[in-house]
Amino acid sequence: MAQRYVRVQTTEGKIYYGLLKLNREVQVLDAPPWLQGQPTELILEVDAYHLLAPCAPSKILAVGKNYANHAAEMGTPVPEEPLLFMKPSTAIIPTETPILYPPQSERVDYEGELAVVIGNRCVDCSPEEAASKIWGYTIANDVTARDLQRRDGQWTRAKGFDTFCPLGPWIVREINPGARLQTFLNEDREPRQSALISDMVFSPEMLVSHISQIMTLMPGDLILTGTPEGIGPMEVGDRVRVELEGIGSLDNPVIARFGATS
């Protein structure tokens, strides 16, 4: 099994990066792993922590219509270059934390995705250089208020609600290009989404290079690489699970968000 890098909060409220052991104990690192964090002697027992999202990025870049079959189901051609948008870091939640269904929307969709974690400052990188800037990989759910996306014409509101970026459960250093990404709803045995990450139009290295021509990517920043065909609505009371071979699964319930105003 690949080494799993986690970010946790202890029962005393302290936040650490660490290595998750097979027995679920966490060996604490003295810094984020992409900043050369080294193992310490501090070991956290299973009941002494809970998982957070595995990184705290300065920004989240996301890519639209990066699978040809998803572009087709949206009724649009494949973009000639990566279609970029941003999600706020405040949208991030860890696995098992509820997605809050906002009262402004009547359709909220799941979008399972591979997420890339940047390890080194990246500016004007070639695709070859960009490969060395990728530190690791995790799972994301690019939750989207689909009706608001169509209504607004731009995607900030539809993509930016609090809890609209479930992330985790941990980071691995490498992933097989032929790994399968799947999204499940509730106890359904058949996935709602199922695709190989090699089916992407633009590879992770191409995306990092392209984005670095626009803005500086910093260690710990996050790139969501796009979702395949099969997007669909979630309802209050549902549970959505995104699985990615070589990483694991990201699992979140959906509950109503109360007290919000438009």
Side-chain angles (χ1 to χ4, degrees), residues 128-195:
E128 294 75 22
E129 293 169 330
S132 68
K133 305 294 185 180
I134 296 174
W135 193 87
Y137 304 89
T138 189
I139 306 170
N141 185 351
D142 176 22
V143 180
T144 303
R146 191 68 63 198
D147 54 344
L148 301 184
Q149 182 184 31
R150 291 170 177 153
R151 184 190 310 169
D152 292 351
Q154 54 80 33
W155 301 356
T156 301
R157 180 166 66 144
K159 301 280 192 175
F161 283 96
D162 289 352
T163 75
F164 271 27
C165 189
L167 188 70
W170 39 69
I171 299 168
V172 300
R173 293 301 311 272
E174 297 180 354
I175 192 165
N176 187 328
R180 183 167 292 277
L181 172 71
Q182 298 190 105
T183 304
F184 296 85
L185 201 61
N186 301 319
E187 300 302 320
D188 293 350
R189 292 181 179 273
E190 290 298 316
R192 301 299 178 96
Q193 295 180 288
S194 182

Side-chain angles (χ1 to χ4, degrees), residues 44-58:
L44 300 177
E45 303 291 335
V46 175
D47 59 356
Y49 71 87
H50 69 268
L51 284 176
L52 301 176
C55 61
S58 72

Side-chain angles (χ1 to χ4, degrees), residues 62-66 76 79-85 155 202 207 210:
V63 183
K65 303 175 185 176
N66 197 27
T76 60
E80 294 184 1
E81 59 182 0
L83 176 61
L84 303 179
F85 60 94
W155 301 356
F202 303 103
L207 295 175
H210 180 77

Side-chain angles (χ1 to χ4, degrees), residues 100-122:
L100 302 181
Y101 199 116
Q104 297 95 324
S105 177
E106 295 182 356
R107 175 169 168 169
V108 175
D109 285 6
Y110 54 80
E111 293 190 11
E113 308 198 8
L114 168 70
V116 170
V117 181
I118 298 299
N120 296 302
R121 187 174 183 272
C122 186

Side-chain angles (χ1 to χ4, degrees), residues 66-70 112 114 176-183 191-200 226-230 243-245:
N66 197 27
Y67 289 78
N69 55 13
H70 173 54
L114 168 70
N176 187 328
R180 183 167 292 277
L181 172 71
Q182 298 190 105
T183 304
R192 301 299 178 96
Q193 295 180 288
S194 182
L196 304 180
I197 59 173
S198 57
D199 292 340
M200 290 181 196
T227 199
E229 179 185 23
E243 296 183 355
L244 186 51
E245 290 176 335

Side-chain angles (χ1 to χ4, degrees), residues 206-233:
M206 289 293 295
L207 295 175
V208 172
S209 173
H210 180 77
I211 294 167
S212 78
Q213 314 295 321
I214 303 165
M215 65 187 76
T216 301
L217 291 167
M218 300 299 294
D221 279 354
L222 196 67
I223 298 174
L224 276 52
T225 59
T227 199
E229 179 185 23
I231 60 169

